[in-house]
Amino acid sequence: QVQLVESGGGSVMAGGSLRLSCAASGSTGNAKYVGWFRQAPGKEREGVAAIPPFGALKYYADTVKGRFTISQDNAKNTVYLQMNSLKPEDTAMYYCAAASVAAYRPSTWALHPMNYNYWGQGTQVTVSS
Protein backbone atom coordinates (compact mmCIF):
# COMPACT_ATOMS: atom_id res chain seq x y z
CA GLN A 1 0.00 0.00 0.00
CA VAL A 2 1.05 3.56 -0.71
CA GLN A 3 -0.19 6.58 1.20
CA LEU A 4 -0.15 9.97 -0.50
CA VAL A 5 -0.56 13.30 1.25
CA GLU A 6 -0.92 16.56 -0.68
CA SER A 7 -0.16 20.00 0.67
CA GLY A 8 0.45 23.52 -0.58
CA GLY A 9 -2.98 24.50 -1.84
CA GLY A 10 -4.50 27.87 -1.09
CA SER A 11 -6.06 31.01 -2.49
CA VAL A 12 -4.17 33.30 -4.85
CA MET A 13 -4.88 36.09 -7.30
CA ALA A 14 -4.70 35.46 -11.03
CA GLY A 15 -1.10 35.52 -12.17
CA GLY A 16 0.15 34.18 -8.88
CA SER A 17 1.98 30.96 -8.08
CA LEU A 18 1.62 27.97 -5.81
CA ARG A 19 3.69 24.86 -5.26
CA LEU A 20 1.89 21.66 -4.39
CA SER A 21 3.66 18.78 -2.69
CA CYS A 22 2.78 15.10 -2.68
CA ALA A 23 4.53 13.07 0.00
CA ALA A 24 4.48 9.29 -0.37
CA SER A 25 4.85 6.70 2.36
CA GLY A 26 4.35 2.97 2.67
CA SER A 27 5.36 0.67 -0.18
CA THR A 28 7.23 3.26 -2.21
CA GLY A 29 9.97 0.88 -3.32
CA ASN A 30 8.33 -0.26 -6.56
CA ALA A 31 8.57 1.99 -9.58
CA LYS A 32 5.48 4.09 -10.04
CA TYR A 33 4.04 6.79 -12.19
CA VAL A 34 2.92 9.81 -10.18
CA GLY A 35 0.36 12.21 -11.53
CA TRP A 36 -1.44 15.36 -10.54
CA PHE A 37 -5.13 15.58 -11.31
CA ARG A 38 -7.77 18.19 -10.64
CA GLN A 39 -11.50 18.30 -10.36
CA ALA A 40 -13.65 21.41 -10.40
CA PRO A 41 -17.26 21.36 -9.18
CA GLY A 42 -19.54 19.75 -11.75
CA LYS A 43 -16.64 18.63 -13.92
CA GLU A 44 -14.82 15.35 -14.44
CA ARG A 45 -11.44 14.73 -12.92
CA GLU A 46 -8.71 15.58 -15.42
CA GLY A 47 -5.01 14.92 -15.67
CA VAL A 48 -2.73 17.91 -15.21
CA ALA A 49 0.79 16.49 -15.16
CA ALA A 50 2.53 13.18 -14.68
CA ILE A 51 6.03 11.85 -14.25
CA PRO A 52 7.20 8.28 -14.87
CA PRO A 53 9.48 6.42 -12.46
CA PHE A 54 12.46 6.89 -14.74
CA GLY A 55 11.90 10.65 -14.57
CA ALA A 56 13.19 11.65 -17.99
CA LEU A 57 9.76 12.28 -19.45
CA LYS A 58 7.16 14.63 -18.10
CA TYR A 59 3.61 14.85 -19.33
CA TYR A 60 1.38 17.92 -19.24
CA ALA A 61 -2.14 18.73 -20.21
CA ASP A 62 -2.29 21.32 -22.99
CA THR A 63 -4.09 23.71 -20.66
CA VAL A 64 -1.10 23.94 -18.30
CA LYS A 65 1.91 23.54 -20.60
CA GLY A 66 4.41 26.31 -20.07
CA ARG A 67 2.84 27.28 -16.73
CA PHE A 68 3.06 24.15 -14.56
CA THR A 69 6.13 22.04 -13.83
CA ILE A 70 6.17 18.61 -12.23
CA SER A 71 9.30 17.43 -10.45
CA GLN A 72 10.34 14.82 -7.93
CA ASP A 73 12.75 14.44 -5.05
CA ASN A 74 13.37 10.71 -4.70
CA ALA A 75 15.28 11.15 -1.45
CA LYS A 76 12.17 12.68 0.11
CA ASN A 77 9.64 10.49 -1.74
CA THR A 78 7.94 13.71 -2.77
CA VAL A 79 6.57 14.96 -6.07
CA TYR A 80 5.95 18.65 -6.62
CA LEU A 81 3.74 20.67 -8.92
CA GLN A 82 4.93 24.22 -9.43
CA MET A 83 2.07 26.29 -10.75
CA ASN A 84 2.81 29.70 -12.22
CA SER A 85 0.66 32.26 -14.04
CA LEU A 86 -2.42 30.83 -12.40
CA LYS A 87 -5.79 31.53 -13.95
CA PRO A 88 -9.29 31.44 -12.44
CA GLU A 89 -9.99 28.34 -14.54
CA ASP A 90 -7.24 26.53 -12.62
CA THR A 91 -9.51 26.60 -9.56
CA ALA A 92 -10.14 23.00 -8.47
CA MET A 93 -9.35 20.33 -5.95
CA TYR A 94 -5.95 18.95 -6.86
CA TYR A 95 -5.13 15.30 -6.25
CA CYS A 96 -1.91 13.38 -6.31
CA ALA A 97 -2.05 9.78 -7.53
CA ALA A 98 0.31 6.88 -8.12
CA ALA A 99 0.20 3.92 -10.48
CA SER A 100 2.30 0.78 -10.02
CA VAL A 101 3.65 0.72 -13.56
CA ALA A 102 7.30 0.88 -14.49
CA ALA A 103 7.23 0.59 -18.29
CA TYR A 104 6.86 3.46 -20.74
CA ARG A 105 3.34 4.71 -21.29
CA PRO A 106 2.18 7.53 -23.58
CA SER A 107 0.74 10.76 -22.27
CA THR A 108 -2.83 9.66 -22.99
CA TRP A 109 -2.32 6.85 -20.48
CA ALA A 110 -0.32 8.85 -17.96
CA LEU A 111 -2.89 11.64 -17.75
CA HIS A 112 -5.94 9.40 -17.43
CA PRO A 113 -7.17 9.06 -13.81
CA MET A 114 -8.52 5.54 -14.32
CA ASN A 115 -4.96 4.20 -14.65
CA TYR A 116 -4.01 5.20 -11.10
CA ASN A 117 -4.73 3.07 -8.07
CA TYR A 118 -3.43 5.18 -5.17
CA TRP A 119 -4.89 8.59 -4.38
CA GLY A 120 -4.36 11.35 -1.88
CA GLN A 121 -7.12 13.29 -0.17
CA GLY A 122 -6.67 16.41 -2.28
CA THR A 123 -5.74 20.04 -1.70
CA GLN A 124 -7.88 22.98 -2.78
CA VAL A 125 -6.56 25.62 -5.15
CA THR A 126 -8.62 28.78 -5.65
CA VAL A 127 -7.60 31.48 -8.10
CA SER A 128 -9.40 34.81 -8.01
CA SER A 129 -9.59 37.30 -10.86
Side-chain angles (χ1 to χ4, degrees):
Q1 289 293 324
V2 175
Q3 292 78 44
L4 302 172
V5 178
E6 303 96 333
S7 61
S11 296
V12 296
M13 297 295 292
S17 298
L18 284 172
R19 188 177 80 156
L20 305 183
S21 298
C22 172
S25 61
S27 300
T28 59
N30 297 327
K32 294 180 178 61
Y33 277 71
V34 178
W36 283 99
F37 299 82
R38 66 187 182 186
Q39 188 166 19
K43 294 188 177 181
E44 293 186 354
R45 191 169 297 189
E46 63 175 356
V48 174
I51 188 166
F54 36 90
L57 292 173
K58 298 178 181 180
Y59 304 102
Y60 297 98
D62 289 342
T63 52
V64 306
K65 279 181 181 176
R67 300 189 298 122
F68 290 12
T69 302
I70 189 170
S71 62
Q72 61 186 8
D73 185 333
N74 291 329
K76 296 182 178 180
N77 285 331
T78 300
V79 173
Y80 303 97
L81 184 68
Q82 178 67 43
M83 305 186 297
N84 298 328
S85 302
L86 282 162
K87 304 175 181 180
E89 51 264 43
D90 294 319
T91 295
M93 183 71 78
Y94 281 71
Y95 298 91
C96 170
S100 299
V101 173
Y104 166 78
R105 292 287 189 273
S107 61
T108 49
W109 183 98
L111 294 176
H112 200 299
M114 290 194 65
N115 295 319
Y116 289 75
N117 47 340
Y118 301 104
W119 289 86
Q121 81 290 349
T123 186
Q124 178 68 38
V125 171
T126 302
V127 185
S128 303
S129 58

